[in-house]
Amino acid sequence: MFSKVKAAMAACVLSTIAAAPASAGVIFFDGFESPDEDNWGVYQVVGDNGDWVAVEGAGIEIQDESIGITSAFEGEQYVELDSDNARGGLPGDTNSAMATFIDFVVGQTYEISFAYKPRTNTANDNIIELFAVNFDGSNIVSQLLLATANETTSSLGDWTVISVLFTVQQGFNGIALAAGGLDNSLGGFIDAVSVSEVPIPAALPLFVFGMAGVGAMMRRKRKIA
């Protein structure tokens, strides 16, 4: 799905806020601690609340840090989306994608973030893409690319947090993450996916109130004149 429609995707709409918000309300978080794996396995539905659905490829590979490939960024488990055809994986391409519903409000700005770590030192082998999507529960209807992570173990030796600001447009009701590198069952790792509401900077309501006051005074002056 993702590889077939990338050419038609619109440019990402990112919002920047002049003053850093005092706080952000987390509306979604998943550290991939469920299903509980002793080793690794591939699933079609995963998540702390069964949130993520595989929408492309072999499935969603959950790995436990005890297998010794890497430690998790948060908790004990993480995801690899250049998945495997064994241990529950579907036949065909190993590059996979997963999507989940998010309770977005149109016009509201959200911070969307995930922890990322490359697995190999091969160029273009660890690509992970983040999308805003229109999701019907099993398929992606439309998508908007928000961020791409593409590193190797030489350029990035540990976990890093990828974060973007997204102002929601009509029709977007979820997010998706997809492997976009070489189709070889080795790719970028994902952990700690978070979506937070970004509040209006505290000074903005005062500015709006002040401008309203100026407008009222100007109207009064015109009446007096």
Side-chain angles (χ1 to χ4, degrees):
M1 170 64 184
F2 288 85
S3 58
K4 292 178 182 177
V5 299
K6 278 181 188 174
M9 288 190 301
C12 173
V13 177
L14 297 180
S15 295
T16 56
I17 296 179
S23 62
V26 177
I27 65 168
F28 178 89
F29 180 84
D30 201 333
F32 304 105
E33 300 303 307
S34 179
D36 188 11
E37 263 291 336
D38 294 329
N39 198 280
W40 66 270
V42 184
Y43 301 86
Q44 302 307 307
V45 178
V46 306
D48 297 343
N49 298 300
D51 297 301
W52 297 93
V53 176
V55 294
E56 185 178 79
I60 306 163
E61 184 172 324
I62 298 286
Q63 297 179 5
D64 188 276
E65 63 182 9
S66 63
I67 63 178
I69 298 176
T70 183
S71 59
F73 177 82
E74 182 273 342
E76 299 178 351
Q77 298 187 164
Y78 53 89
V79 159
E80 183 176 26
L81 281 178
D82 191 348
S83 192
D84 200 290
N85 304 121
R87 298 196 184 186
L90 300 179
D93 293 343
T94 56
N95 270 344
S96 303
M98 60 183 183
T100 186
F101 289 111
I102 302 293
D103 191 20
F104 281 140
V105 175
V106 174
Q108 170 70 45
T109 298
Y110 296 85
E111 181 180 18
I112 306 172
S113 66
F114 64 97
Y116 164 81
K117 183 179 181 179
R119 177 170 181 173
T120 78
N121 201 35
T122 303
N124 299 317
D125 193 26
N126 305 287
I127 298 172
I128 295 294
E129 296 172 315
L130 170 67
F131 298 87
V133 296
N134 184 340
F135 182 44
D136 69 5
S138 57
N139 298 290
I140 301 300
V141 179
S142 60
Q143 65 199 51
L144 182 68
L145 180 62
L146 298 181
T148 300
N150 183 13
E151 301 290 342
T152 65
T153 54
S154 292
S155 62
L156 181 64
D158 206 348
W159 292 96
T160 191
V161 175
I162 308 296
S163 181
V164 297
L165 296 181
F166 173 58
T167 299
V168 177
Q169 304 166 36
Q170 189 70 41
F172 291 100
N173 64 357
I175 59 173
L177 287 154
L182 304 177
D183 194 68
N184 59 4
S185 78
L186 303 173
F189 299 127
I190 300 166
D191 202 357
V193 180
S194 178
V195 180
S196 302
E197 291 183 351
V198 177
I200 297 173
L204 186 56
L206 297 177
F207 173 78
V208 173
F209 177 78
M211 290 303 293
V214 170
M217 285 191 295
M218 293 297 293
R219 286 193 297 272
R220 284 197 296 271
K221 286 182 179 180
R222 283 197 295 268
K223 289 180 179 179
I224 293 172

